[in-house]
Amino acid sequence: MRNTRLILAGGAAVLAVVVVGCAATQVDRTPNPGVRSVAANQCVSSPLETSTVIDRQTLLLVDRSGNSLVMHMTGPCMTKNEAIKLEYRGSTRVCGPLDVDITGDITTAIPMHCMVDTIEPLNKAETLAYQKSH
């Protein structure tokens, strides 16, 4: 988006171009396929069938009705094959990053609090493929 201004100084016209949003401030980050929240029919509800730590920044939640979400964290906070803690806020449904508090590595001396960045809803076929590949 450009904003162009004409400035008159001493009888001469000077053209100044102001560019809003500088490319130099962009963060080099691969776009995440997830979203900030999902539709009501894509939420997962407690009790969960499984919760699987995929890697230090990724958690897969599957509920008993077959709904599943992959939660992408803002940074590393979990360890594979280690216990994590889920605390629901308000209800037992997870539709967005603020619906659950996640604490990773609860067996360590200093548990890590996880900050959810985005959520990726999966269908049943994607969930099975995701579980087999990880």
Side-chain angles (χ1 to χ4, degrees), residues 5-128:
R5 295 183 186 170
L6 183 62
I7 301 171
L8 297 175
V14 177
L15 182 63
V17 177
V18 178
V19 178
V20 179
C22 182
T25 62
Q26 286 183 335
V27 177
D28 291 328
R29 181 175 167 186
T30 305
N32 194 316
V35 294
R36 294 295 297 161
S37 61
V38 296
N41 64 342
Q42 296 174 314
C43 300
V44 295
S45 300
S46 181
L48 295 174
E49 185 68 30
T50 62
S51 60
T52 308
V53 175
I54 303 301
D55 58 37
R56 302 252 324 132
Q57 293 183 227
T58 312
L59 178 65
L60 172 65
L61 301 177
V62 181
D63 68 13
R64 290 188 178 171
S65 65
N67 290 340
S68 59
L69 297 173
V70 173
M71 303 181 83
H72 303 279
M73 309 304 157
T74 58
C77 63
M78 301 173 289
T79 303
K80 218 171 176 169
N81 302 320
E82 292 292 329
I84 61 168
K85 178 181 173 185
L86 300 174
E87 280 186 69
Y88 297 92
R89 293 182 182 167
S91 75
T92 58
R93 291 173 52 112
V94 178
C95 302
L98 301 178
D99 295 336
V100 65
D101 283 328
I102 302 168
T103 305
D105 299 340
I106 63 171
T107 57
T108 61
I110 303 173
M112 300 283 293
H113 182 72
C114 300
M115 301 284 293
V116 180
D117 183 23
T118 56
I119 295 176
E120 181 182 352
L122 301 176
N123 63 35
K124 291 180 189 335
E126 291 170 328
T127 301
L128 289 172

